[in-house]
Amino acid sequence: MVISLEALPLIAVIAGLYGLRYLGEERRLLPWFLLSLTVFSIFLSLATRPYSELLGPWCDVLRPEHMTAFGLATLMAGIGPFLPYQQHAAGRLAALVLIPLASLPAAFVLLGQCATNPMAALDPVLLEWWHGYITEGLPFWKQPVSVAVMLIWVIIPIGAGYWLAARGGAFAEGAGVRWLMLFVLAVSTWAYSLYLMRAGVFAQMLAVPFAAVLLALLVPQARAIGEMLPRVAATLGCFVLATPMFVTALAKPLDPLLPTATMARGAAAPIASEICEFEKLSGLPAGMVFITMDDAPQLLGITDHTVIAASYHRNQTPMIDVIKAFTSAPDDARAIIDAYDPDYVVACFSASDFALYRTADPGNFANILASDGPPVWLTPVAGFTDGALRIYRVR
């Protein structure tokens, strides 16, 4: 959660599961969980982030306001076991109700717009031309077909594994409640991954125990089939059920046939298929490079050049300037580029973000560069006048 605030809903699910255990007379787990959440959210945040970020305008980071809400929840959970009537389910339910009554209003009041929109501090230009095209942060209906199928398929090993084990009495004595909690967490995480693709990593990890149960119960039955072809088919079927790997591979050819809106927009302008070899820039004197953001980290990593911006949204102004330069008319682009006084302007015709910028306007800076007719204020660098990688000196 300190790395990515998007894990907060999963923390809420776990707290809810411990709340159900509290309702069922297990009163120790919830207070200790909330106490550890409060203490370590503070410790890890202070250990890994500068104070300026914790106290800044950013909504997509664990903030002091979150920690305050955790603290209030911990306080209420700690008081709960000492309230009257805790020997009755109604009394325990009343104690549980105090937790959200104290913590949620405080969270919404203190966090303001950050309570409902973790990207509230993101500039509209970045929302339109950058954040909306990061597929790992998008729901399944905006993913390529193969990715959408992968996300959906994960529920099969989770559901089938739990159902087979519960039906066959495979759970160890006394472990049924723990398996049920794991099942609810896995299903909740799977549902969340349909809305946020990168949560699929958590969903797939939580699916592993259920996939293992599925294979342990079904593979021996498949291997016991007498005839070879049905035995092989049944064995392969077990592994198809247990992992989304096969179904997503089969769906991969459908991706270009059924492009999503993000895929279609990025592919609207013809681009080169040749990979840009940025290591060739190592032969040029080191300098500041004005380049699209997706390729900037690679350029930094393999050369001595520096860049204006990469895809790190704490650095919003340079990111916006890069986008505006490539999507604007050449004269407007020059005004933006001159403000940074770069040594080189670099265009990679096979880059997806360069292709996206070309869709903004037929006469914009990106399209002028792609037309082999750069503006007069750019001088092509020898050795980079053809192919996918073009480099220019700024006059």
Side-chain angles (χ1 to χ4, degrees), residues 6 9 25 38 41 49 75 81 100 208 212 216 250 253 285 298 315 339-340:
E6 292 149 345
E25 295 196 74
T38 303
S41 65
R49 296 188 183 277
L75 178 63
V208 168
L250 292 172
Q298 183 183 3
N315 197 29
Y340 288 93

Side-chain angles (χ1 to χ4, degrees), residues 320-392:
I320 294 167
D321 287 341
V322 168
I323 292 172
K324 285 185 174 180
F326 281 101
T327 57
S328 298
D331 289 343
D332 295 331
R334 181 177 188 180
I336 295 172
I337 292 172
D338 283 348
Y340 288 93
D341 193 25
D343 300 284
Y344 308 98
V345 171
V346 173
C348 177
F349 292 172
S350 59
S352 59
D353 53 354
F354 185 82
L356 174 63
Y357 300 155
R358 291 187 62 189
T359 64
D361 185 85
N364 68 13
F365 183 54
N367 277 305
I368 296 299
L369 292 178
S371 68
D372 289 330
V376 296
W377 47 275
L378 293 179
T379 301
V381 174
F384 299 95
T385 56
D386 55 14
L389 182 60
R390 305 295 177 92
I391 304 176
Y392 310 91

Side-chain angles (χ1 to χ4, degrees), residues 188-202:
S188 301
T189 308
W190 168 77
Y192 186 40
S193 73
L194 298 182
Y195 178 74
L196 182 73
M197 184 270 237
R198 59 172 157 254
V201 174
F202 298 116

Side-chain angles (χ1 to χ4, degrees), residues 24-282:
E25 295 196 74
E26 173 50 82
R27 306 179 196 177
R28 297 170 299 170
L29 296 175
L30 180 62
W32 281 110
F33 172 74
L34 291 176
L35 178 62
S36 65
L37 172 66
T38 303
V39 172
F40 283 99
S41 65
I42 296 171
F43 171 75
L44 291 173
S45 293
L46 294 175
T48 59
R49 296 188 183 277
Y51 298 130
S52 59
E53 184 164 308
L54 295 176
L55 301 176
W58 310 108
C59 293
D60 61 337
V61 64
L62 200 60
R63 299 178 56 86
E65 294 90 337
H66 292 105
M67 302 169 198
T68 301
F70 297 160
L72 289 171
T74 301
L75 178 63
M76 293 297 103
I79 292 174
F82 300 99
L83 294 176
Y85 305 110
Q86 292 305 291
Q87 69 274 25
H88 303 295
R92 294 192 295 273
L93 179 61
L96 286 175
V97 170
L98 293 177
I99 298 174
L101 284 180
S103 59
L104 289 183
F108 278 93
V109 170
L110 295 174
L111 286 167
Q113 62 178 355
C114 291
T116 56
N117 182 10
M119 304 309 292
L122 198 64
D123 187 276
V125 172
L126 297 182
L127 284 171
E128 179 181 1
W129 291 100
W130 175 67
H131 187 261
Y133 293 91
I134 301 176
T135 53
E136 67 181 51
L138 299 177
F140 83 94
W141 60 86
K142 293 187 178 181
Q143 303 292 337
V145 174
S146 61
V147 177
V149 169
M150 174 192 68
L151 294 172
I152 296 171
W153 193 266
V154 173
I155 192 61
I156 292 179
I158 294 174
Y162 182 80
W163 179 74
L164 287 170
R167 186 191 65 169
F171 296 140
E173 185 177 352
V177 172
R178 294 194 295 274
W179 274 97
L180 179 60
M181 289 179 66
L182 182 61
F183 173 71
V184 173
L185 178 60
V187 171
S188 301
T189 308
W190 168 77
Y192 186 40
S193 73
L194 298 182
Y195 178 74
L196 182 73
M197 184 270 237
R198 59 172 157 254
V201 174
F202 298 116
Q204 290 178 26
M205 287 193 292
L206 290 169
V208 168
F210 299 100
V213 169
L214 186 152
L215 292 175
L217 295 177
L218 292 186
V219 169
Q221 298 180 40
R223 301 303 296 161
I225 297 174
E227 297 186 20
M228 184 184 70
L229 289 180
R231 182 172 67 251
V232 171
T235 302
L236 291 175
C238 293
F239 288 95
V240 169
L241 288 175
T243 172
M245 180 174 67
F246 300 103
V247 68
T248 189
L250 292 172
K252 193 69 175 177
L254 297 177
D255 288 350
L257 301 178
L258 300 168
T260 63
T262 52
M263 291 169 60
R265 188 169 188 183
I271 57 175
S273 58
E274 174 188 349
I275 296 175
C276 292
E277 299 177 1
F278 291 107
E279 60 271 13
K280 292 182 178 180
L281 273 76
S282 297

